[in-house]
Amino acid sequence: MATVMRDFNLLEEPLKEKPDLPKSPKEAVNPLEPKFRVSNLNVFYGATQALHNVSLEIPPNRITALIGPSGCGKTSFLRVLNRMHETVSTSRVEGQVLLGEQNILTMDVTQLRRRVGMVFQKSNPFPKSIFENVAYGLRVNGWHRKGTLHDAVEASLRRAALWEEVKDHLHKSAYALSGGQQQRLCIARALAIEPEVLLLDEPCSALDPIATAKIEELLFRLKEICTIVIVTHNMQQAARVSEFTGFFLLGKLIEFNKTAVIFKTPARKETEDYITGRFG
Amino acid sequence: MASLPIAVERRSRPPSRGRVRAFVAGLRSGDEIAHLITLMFAASIFLITALLVFELWRNSALPREHFGWRFLWTRVWDPVFENFGALPFIYGTVVTSSVALLLAVPLGVGAAIFLAELAPRRISNGLTFLIELLAAIPSVIIGVLGIFILVPVVRTTVEPFLKKTLGFLPLFQGPMFGIGLLAASLVLTIMVVPFIISISREVLLAVPVEQREAALALGATKWETTWKVVVPYARTGIFSSVFLALARALGETMAVTMVIGNDPKINASLFAPGYSIAAVIANEFTEATGRLYLQSLIELGLVLFVVTIIINGLARLLILTTTRRATAHP
């Protein structure tokens, strides 16, 4: 019960500065402001509606988990946050999504994706060297200072807790890494451009428990430098890593609250049924 | 642990009997049959190639003895005095194929990128059907169209334009006949570009969607994603399309012989008429009366085989050295 109480107070406390991790200058000035403000979001793929009137606020520098059965719309929701839904040509979005004060649906999409990074379910390194994989985002974003590129790559790999394992073969193919290392490489690649938000779409679904634990530990440390939203099928994972949890069902956001509340005293019957394993 | 005694027992048997038993068991399961049949098919390809080279070699003994290595750099082709050299034909073949590829690769890869990445799927499929139709047109028809449509355009428009703008280069000087190396190169371009487009498009479409999403999520634009992620991922397949095109360009006979001018001379200008190896074999084997003449044509066939191998090898070497530095492949 004590932990729950502490969690309740999290938002009211100002963020403690952690000097050991470099802070992005793009970081939100006011830590109390929600990172994302989503209101009345409807998402359609062709004629089918994937999300119905979803409204929620995602707090900054916290880990927010989105759970729910397959096809409930949690991935659709996540992909709207950096407009990856637009890769499906029939998709259509109604409603408002604010990143800070900016409406993401009208802003420049490449600008948005530089601020909101994404890690996918299947690790997808490029068929290049480890170094080039991390450097890719920097190069695309116009990074030409040769001397500091190496430093930036090293910093990203360190943040992704991969540096010690790969520092001696940075120029080997990324495909030589194990599945868990590849996924951390993808995280390092996303972190290299210093996003404010990191979206993760079931990042551990193909990994063994040890690799999963490493990534979860990594997420804990990363929330100091960015806001994290993670979609997961694994409820234990949501309970372990997140401070806030949203439960989706049939395209609707059923409940959004502190993770401890969702898992201990859910307000809605559907949530309770899902987390106790009565369906889904 | 249960399997250990069995393994020991099997090892204690005479090895040949064990191997036969394993083979029979394999036959029964079909694995050995599939293995044998596919091995036979693969071996037959090797056998056919070896036989081809052997026959070319055997039937060109006379000129090889008569001219020696000189055959390769003699510029004369004189059936009357029976003095034969391959150089003008090697030159014509290499020049027309190179110019054709120089034009066809950017054109074909560019078109493939449009069809795979940018065009709506329905338009892409329709256009691809047309392109594959173009690849199926017999070369004699392309040759006829070349003579009656392309050559006049080359003579009245393309060559004067090139002479005016790039006339300071020896490539674009001299009298403009229309028929010549340039026209042959253009005809070859038309013939090989469908191969490059069709195969490259398939390869580009097969690039996993995860690769595109990874780049897009890093803030890459659509074009940056295509050019820096999708095309490099597909490059092995794109290169194979280029090799196929190269093979077709080097060996193309009918359409080339109709527009190249059939004149065994070496001229720096692309406007001048020339001759290619395949064209001279097709044109002259019926009238090759002397044994030396006929066998010289067969030796030309051998030369074409070697030229094809060398150019393919060089192209592969070029690709290997330029791409290995830039990227690490799985």
Side-chain angles (χ1 to χ4, degrees):
Chain A
M1 203 52 201
T3 50
V4 178
M5 288 307 292
R6 192 174 52 83
D7 280 351
F8 265 115
N9 293 328
L10 267 178
L11 262 195
E12 279 71 48
E13 285 173 9
L15 276 175
K16 287 186 213 92
E17 284 293 327
K18 291 277 165 77
D20 53 331
L21 280 164
K23 277 234 155 199
S24 159
K26 289 180 280 181
E27 202 78 356
V29 186
N30 185 354
L32 301 179
E33 280 286 302
K35 197 80 213 174
F36 275 111
R37 261 186 255 249
V38 181
S39 38
N40 297 318
L41 180 69
N42 289 294
V43 176
F44 303 85
Y45 294 112
T48 51
Q49 189 167 1
L51 284 177
H52 302 262
N53 274 320
V54 173
S55 300
L56 86 125
E57 295 185 345
I58 291 172
N61 293 82
R62 293 286 177 273
I63 301 177
T64 302
L66 306 176
I67 60 169
S70 295
C72 67
K74 56 192 189 302
T75 296
S76 294
F77 177 79
L78 192 77
R79 290 171 74 92
V80 169
L81 296 183
N82 71 345
R83 283 171 61 188
M84 287 301 287
H85 69 278
E86 289 173 4
T87 55
V88 179
S89 58
T90 55
S91 66
R92 191 160 51 84
V93 166
E94 286 169 5
Q96 197 182 41
V97 183
L98 295 179
L99 172 63
E101 297 301 316
Q102 270 181 296
N103 185 352
I104 70 158
L105 297 174
T106 54
M107 73 188 284
D108 177 51
V109 67
T110 58
Q111 212 55 45
L112 169 69
R113 287 174 186 161
R114 279 159 208 196
R115 292 172 63 186
V116 183
M118 192 166 207
V119 174
F120 298 86
Q121 179 169 7
K122 212 171 123 192
S123 64
N124 52 358
F126 299 128
K128 297 171 190 278
S129 69
I130 293 167
F131 183 89
E132 282 303 321
N133 260 282
V134 181
Y136 179 84
L138 297 169
R139 289 195 205 278
V140 159
N141 291 294
W143 189 294
H144 294 304
R145 287 167 290 158
K146 195 98 207 218
T148 49
L149 185 64
H150 188 277
D151 296 342
V153 169
E154 178 179 338
S156 301
L157 285 168
R158 278 189 193 282
R159 282 182 193 162
L162 194 60
W163 174 251
E164 291 302 322
E165 292 160 58
V166 302
K167 64 180 175 188
D168 294 327
H169 35 262
L170 286 177
H171 296 284
K172 279 202 184 145
S173 168
Y175 287 170
L177 298 174
S178 72
Q181 287 174 326
Q182 284 190 18
Q183 195 60 295
R184 275 182 284 147
L185 180 67
C186 292
I187 293 176
R189 182 175 64 186
L191 290 174
I193 53 174
E194 305 195 339
E196 299 162 40
V197 184
L198 191 60
L199 309 175
L200 300 109
D201 186 1
E202 296 180 39
C204 303
S205 62
L207 302 182
D208 64 64
I210 293 170
T212 302
K214 275 193 179 160
I215 286 184
E216 288 176 3
E217 191 189 326
L218 169 63
L219 295 183
F220 262 124
R221 296 201 286 123
L222 286 179
K223 67 182 178 182
E224 307 293 341
I225 55 170
C226 59
T227 304
I228 292 171
V229 185
I230 177 172
V231 161
T232 178
H233 264 125
N234 180 334
M235 273 178 291
Q236 284 77 30
Q237 184 172 58
R240 276 195 304 267
V241 301
S242 70
E243 282 122 319
F244 292 86
T245 297
F247 172 60
F248 284 81
L249 185 63
L250 301 172
K252 295 193 176 90
L253 178 65
I254 303 296
E255 196 170 348
F256 182 77
N257 212 326
K258 299 228 171 8
T259 300
V261 176
I262 292 278
F263 280 90
K264 283 179 187 150
T265 52
R268 297 279 297 266
K269 178 88 169 58
E270 297 96 316
T271 315
E272 193 185 337
D273 285 349
Y274 182 69
I275 61 170
T276 53
R278 244 164 276 169
F279 70 86
Chain B
M1 279 321 268
S3 65
L4 194 62
I6 300 169
V8 170
E9 184 195 354
R10 196 174 284 164
R11 211 176 301 139
S12 66
R13 273 200 204 124
S16 61
R17 224 181 107 202
R19 213 175 294 150
V20 169
R21 278 178 76 116
F23 183 78
V24 171
L27 269 186
R28 209 166 291 142
S29 71
D31 277 6
E32 289 295 336
I33 296 177
H35 182 90
L36 268 178
I37 290 175
T38 48
L39 178 74
M40 251 156 55
F41 289 165
S44 69
I45 300 292
F46 178 77
L47 207 73
I48 289 169
T49 313
L51 217 64
L52 195 92
V53 174
F54 174 71
E55 283 299 319
L56 286 173
W57 180 263
R58 198 170 60 96
N59 287 308
S60 60
L62 212 54
R64 273 192 290 113
E65 208 172 287
H66 202 275
F67 303 116
W69 288 104
R70 198 156 44 88
F71 185 74
L72 292 179
W73 53 81
T74 302
R75 302 171 66 145
V76 183
W77 184 264
D78 188 349
V80 180
F81 293 99
E82 297 223 304
N83 190 12
F84 299 109
L87 196 62
F89 309 104
I90 298 175
Y91 177 79
T93 301
V94 170
V95 166
T96 50
S97 299
S98 310
V99 174
L101 276 202
L102 223 58
L103 297 172
V105 169
L107 188 69
V109 174
I113 288 174
F114 173 76
L115 291 174
E117 295 291 307
L118 306 170
R121 185 53 61 89
R122 202 180 310 161
I123 292 177
S124 169
N125 286 343
L127 279 175
T128 305
F129 176 71
L130 281 181
I131 287 159
E132 277 159 12
L133 220 59
L134 186 63
I137 295 177
S139 59
V140 66
I141 293 175
I142 300 221
V144 168
L145 294 176
I147 289 177
F148 291 110
I149 296 168
L150 187 75
V151 166
V153 172
V154 167
R155 186 174 55 232
T156 56
T157 316
V158 179
E159 289 183 342
F161 173 77
L162 284 173
K163 195 168 192 172
K164 210 163 67 189
T165 52
L166 296 165
F168 55 90
L169 294 170
L171 282 177
F172 306 111
Q173 287 170 358
M176 298 172 280
F177 302 115
I179 274 184
L181 294 170
L182 184 66
S185 305
L186 291 176
V187 159
L188 280 178
T189 306
I190 295 167
M191 295 184 74
V192 302
V193 106
F195 285 83
I196 299 181
I197 297 178
S198 177
I199 297 172
S200 297
R201 172 182 172 269
E202 289 301 323
V203 177
L204 288 169
L205 285 177
V207 173
V209 68
E210 289 88 5
Q211 289 283 320
R212 295 164 215 265
E213 290 192 332
L216 288 173
L218 288 168
T221 60
K222 174 96 183 145
W223 176 247
E224 284 165 342
T225 304
T226 301
W227 190 242
K228 296 201 183 124
V229 173
V230 177
V231 172
Y233 195 94
R235 67 172 194 281
T236 320
I238 293 175
F239 289 149
S240 359
S241 80
V242 173
F243 286 127
L244 206 66
L246 180 64
R248 178 155 201 213
L250 287 171
E252 178 48 44
T253 309
M254 202 58 224
V256 169
T257 195
M258 289 165 89
V259 297
I260 198 170
N262 299 335
D263 184 11
K265 294 229 169 62
I266 297 179
N267 203 318
S269 175
L270 290 180
F271 299 168
Y275 220 153
S276 78
I277 299 177
V280 71
I281 296 174
N283 279 335
E284 299 192 4
F285 82 98
T286 44
E287 53 206 62
T289 41
R291 276 186 64 211
L292 185 64
Y293 192 4
L294 187 63
Q295 294 211 356
S296 292
L297 287 175
I298 292 173
E299 187 173 358
L300 274 180
L302 189 66
V303 168
L304 180 58
F305 187 83
V306 173
V307 165
T308 309
I309 288 177
I310 290 175
I311 291 186
N312 253 300
L314 282 180
R316 269 170 217 275
L317 206 68
L318 182 81
I319 284 159
L320 215 67
T321 49
T322 51
T323 55
R324 195 168 37 185
R325 223 177 321 116
T327 49
H329 211 63

